Amino acid sequence: MDQDTGEAPPPNAGKTAACWARVRTRLRQEVGDVEYRNWLRQMSLAGVEGEAAIIHLPTRFLRDWVRDHYGDRLRMLCQAEMPGIRLVELRVQAAARAEKPGIEEDVAELSPLAESLAPISAPPIEPVRNDWLVPLDPRFTFDSFVVGKPNEFAHACARRVAERPAQAGFNPLFLYGGVGLGKTHLMHSIAWSLREQDPNLSVAYMSAEKFMYRFIAALRSHNTMEFKTQLRSVHVLMVDDLQFLIGKDNTQEEFFHTFNALIDAGKQIIISADKAPNDLSGIEDRLRTRLSGGIVADLHATTYELRLSILQAKANVSGVEVPPRVQEMLARKIASNVRDLEGALNRVVAHAKLFGRPITLESVPEVLSDILRAHDKRLSIDDIQRKVAEHYNIRLTEMASARRSRAVARPRQVAMYLAKQLTSRSLPEIGRRFGNRDHTTVLHAVNKITELMAEDPSFAEDVTLLRKMLEM
Ligand code: ADP
Ligand code: MG
């Protein structure tokens, strides 16, 4: 402790310091030396305020980065190692030995000047091990990727690149599509497949975000040469979610040069993004041109058939019986993307395992009520009324009118029936939307339509068709 002030150190200071040292050691073990050195080494414990450990970092950039990427872990470790600590507060405070204590240096927006920005305490230049080779997710292989219409082209391209990397016409491979449609899964599949064929092949997979932060870290520690050499030594470079490089000019520049160097050297590049190269705004034209220079393949939104096949495949390996009717219901209701679908299935399966109860059509809506409600928003009662009115050629206002003639009453009942089937609205809620009718009227409509469908196949077909159109 500070001997010069003449004050006695607080009684527990030594113990706290020892606890803090343990937190740091554990963190270092968890994240590895390189990451620790880049981001965490400059943390210092400033003290304890109540139940909070106060941790200082020299810049706002570092503070934000640590908070966003290690915050939870840091808090948990402090809770585990430091008695009485429940919270962690990260503050910006230049290290005491810095010349102007308290000055904030915000390097989040790196300009070309960044190169000359002296790091607060330059880490010693040591050989950084090649840790571009991040662990691949063992679940993401070609074997577990279900192929259907929306993804067959992207899948075929990925297979082709995995078989014969760096072939003209397929380099770079640019995969794009909305979230949760399988871009990362396909990239990892290619990497697995390449590694299997040749364990000596170096395949670097990283998110564009990681690329950017590695690059910034290299700038900070004056290690850009090493960064470049390392990157350019790989055989295959995969950069996931390229949209995150948008607007980050100097990182984009670096990426562009790496890209060119690799392509020129006959290496394979695989990129993913949420949009096609031409639709990515904020990307320089010359980069855009190069990105489109190989093959561009998109992953389309899923179809009901693909969702069902995916559910079947995943249910098969879940270890729990998932009845076909439940699979159909999930495939119908959770149409946003595969990630959501998987999340819903996982929850249903976990629930069944935890409580030892079978999965049924009745239990699922309860287990998934929040998820289903969120997805229902996509199909509103308005949509249903509009579609049904259009189909039977009646005016939309008839849905809420008091008229009871068969020509309008039957379509109205169909709409109520569909609202009950396709949304999670309650009977009274539905009634209100149909000219303030009572919930018993809605119930009557549901029963009536069910009855008619059983009696009259052509009516049943009609309603089923409407339902399909609404679900598309
Ligand atoms: P993206 O990177 O496009 O956002 P991911 O590749 O992370 O999406 O996919 C989200 C989740 O959905 C992953 O768990 C992935 O395994 C799964 N998934 C996506 N598409 C398929 C598919 N065709 N077959 C099997 N699983 C899939
Ligand atoms: Mg992804």
Side-chain angles (χ1 to χ4, degrees):
M1 287 280 105
D2 198 344
Q3 303 291 319
D4 301 337
T5 60
E7 282 169 26
N12 278 331
K15 207 166 137 220
T16 310
C19 296
W20 172 238
R22 272 203 305 279
V23 170
R24 296 178 68 114
T25 308
R26 285 186 59 180
L27 206 52
R28 184 177 194 128
Q29 285 164 352
E30 285 182 19
V31 305
D33 284 347
V34 175
E35 222 163 300
Y36 183 85
R37 209 169 42 232
N38 283 338
W39 306 113
L40 298 163
R41 204 178 64 157
Q42 301 189 52
M43 290 189 302
S44 62
L45 180 71
V48 169
E49 291 175 8
E51 294 182 317
I54 311 300
I55 293 168
H56 283 175
L57 281 153
T59 65
R60 195 193 309 160
F61 174 71
L62 267 180
R63 193 265 321 268
D64 292 350
W65 179 259
V66 169
R67 182 193 57 212
D68 295 346
H69 292 81
Y70 307 99
D72 287 342
R73 200 58 208 138
L74 188 59
R75 180 172 45 77
M76 280 186 239
L77 287 174
C78 288
Q79 286 170 348
E81 297 291 348
M82 305 174 73
I85 295 299
R86 289 189 48 236
L87 304 166
V88 165
E89 206 182 305
L90 298 172
R91 292 184 190 160
V92 180
Q93 178 86 66
R97 64 197 138 90
E99 276 172 12
K100 297 177 197 155
I103 287 192
E104 283 193 17
E105 281 178 75
D106 194 345
V107 292
E109 292 291 311
L110 271 181
S111 60
L113 269 181
E115 194 99 55
S116 62
L117 246 183
I120 305 301
S121 63
I125 299 185
E126 289 168 30
V128 183
R129 64 166 200 276
N130 195 346
D131 56 0
W132 297 113
L133 312 177
V134 295
L136 298 169
D137 192 318
R139 296 168 306 162
F140 294 174
T141 62
F142 281 125
D143 285 344
S144 64
F145 191 82
V146 180
V147 184
K149 269 261 169 300
N151 60 25
E152 64 185 2
F153 183 60
H155 172 260
C157 293
R159 282 273 191 193
R160 167 69 191 258
V161 166
E163 274 158 28
R164 282 192 278 159
Q167 289 284 307
F170 286 85
N171 199 15
L173 167 61
F174 190 100
L175 298 169
Y176 75 93
V179 288
L181 295 181
K183 299 182 295 295
T184 300
H185 190 137
L186 277 181
M187 290 174 109
H188 283 217
S189 304
I190 299 173
W192 279 119
S193 166
L194 289 170
R195 271 194 197 174
E196 208 174 296
Q197 293 164 55
D198 180 359
N200 294 321
L201 208 64
S202 73
V203 181
Y205 165 89
M206 79 201 79
S207 63
E209 223 191 351
K210 190 120 182 170
F211 179 94
M212 176 173 74
Y213 285 110
R214 284 293 163 82
F215 177 57
I216 294 172
L219 285 179
R220 292 175 60 84
S221 56
H222 302 292
N223 255 344
T224 48
M225 268 318 287
E226 214 167 307
F227 176 88
K228 288 178 198 190
T229 318
Q230 266 187 16
L231 253 187
R232 290 173 195 188
S233 71
V234 302
H235 297 108
V236 180
L237 174 66
M238 302 186 177
V239 179
D240 206 351
D241 290 320
L242 191 77
Q243 67 271 15
F244 291 118
L245 278 197
I246 286 171
K248 312 286 191 304
D249 290 347
N250 62 344
T251 318
Q252 220 185 91
E253 173 94 17
E254 182 58 31
F255 175 74
F256 180 70
H257 292 309
T258 307
F259 185 100
N260 287 337
L262 286 172
I263 295 265
D264 291 345
K267 315 288 183 64
Q268 174 75 46
I269 294 191
I270 303 166
I271 306 289
S272 88
D274 63 349
K275 294 193 196 74
N278 279 334
D279 299 328
L280 282 172
S281 53
I283 288 246
E284 282 181 59
D285 281 344
R286 54 178 189 166
L287 179 54
R288 193 194 308 283
T289 309
R290 298 238 55 176
L291 288 172
S292 334
I295 188 117
V296 176
D298 58 345
L299 290 131
H300 296 273
T302 59
T303 55
Y304 172 78
E305 286 71 27
L306 177 62
R307 292 195 295 277
L308 194 58
S309 320
I310 290 174
L311 278 174
Q312 279 160 355
K314 301 210 187 254
N316 274 343
V317 295
S318 71
V320 179
E321 163 92 30
V322 186
R325 294 284 299 280
V326 169
Q327 294 179 16
E328 285 159 19
M329 194 251 274
L330 292 177
R332 188 154 42 71
K333 297 229 171 188
I334 301 175
S336 48
N337 63 50
V338 186
R339 185 172 297 137
D340 291 349
L341 192 64
E342 217 176 19
L345 179 70
N346 287 344
R347 182 165 346 152
V348 170
V349 166
H351 206 267
K353 284 184 177 163
L354 277 174
F355 298 105
R357 285 190 220 123
I359 299 170
T360 64
L361 263 189
E362 289 70 41
S363 69
V364 170
E366 236 169 82
V367 176
L368 297 180
S369 59
D370 52 335
I371 297 182
L372 292 177
R373 209 169 317 120
H375 283 265
D376 272 351
K377 286 201 195 98
R378 300 160 60 85
L379 190 59
S380 65
I381 293 182
D382 280 345
D383 296 332
I384 296 174
Q385 291 179 335
R386 203 168 309 118
K387 193 90 200 167
V388 174
E390 203 177 281
H391 181 77
Y392 288 102
N393 207 11
I394 62 170
R395 298 234 300 267
L396 183 58
T397 48
E398 298 291 9
M399 288 292 162
S401 81
R403 285 217 302 146
R404 286 155 160 250
S405 77
R406 169 78 60 89
V408 296
R410 189 70 82 224
R412 194 188 292 131
Q413 286 179 321
V414 169
M416 288 185 201
Y417 166 88
L418 289 172
K420 180 67 195 134
Q421 301 291 318
L422 301 180
T423 74
S424 59
R425 304 275 164 251
S426 65
L427 294 175
E429 272 175 301
I430 296 173
R432 269 198 295 283
R433 304 295 296 280
F434 285 82
N436 257 330
R437 287 178 156 80
D438 192 70
H439 75 275
T440 53
T441 310
V442 182
L443 188 60
H444 174 73
V446 172
N447 291 337
K448 183 76 198 169
I449 298 301
T450 312
E451 221 170 83
L452 283 175
M453 285 174 75
E455 283 166 12
D456 179 351
S458 82
F459 178 71
E461 206 171 285
D462 212 32
V463 176
T464 310
L465 181 71
L466 262 171
R467 179 182 186 139
K468 285 222 170 96
M469 288 195 300
L470 281 162
E471 279 168 356
M472 268 191 332

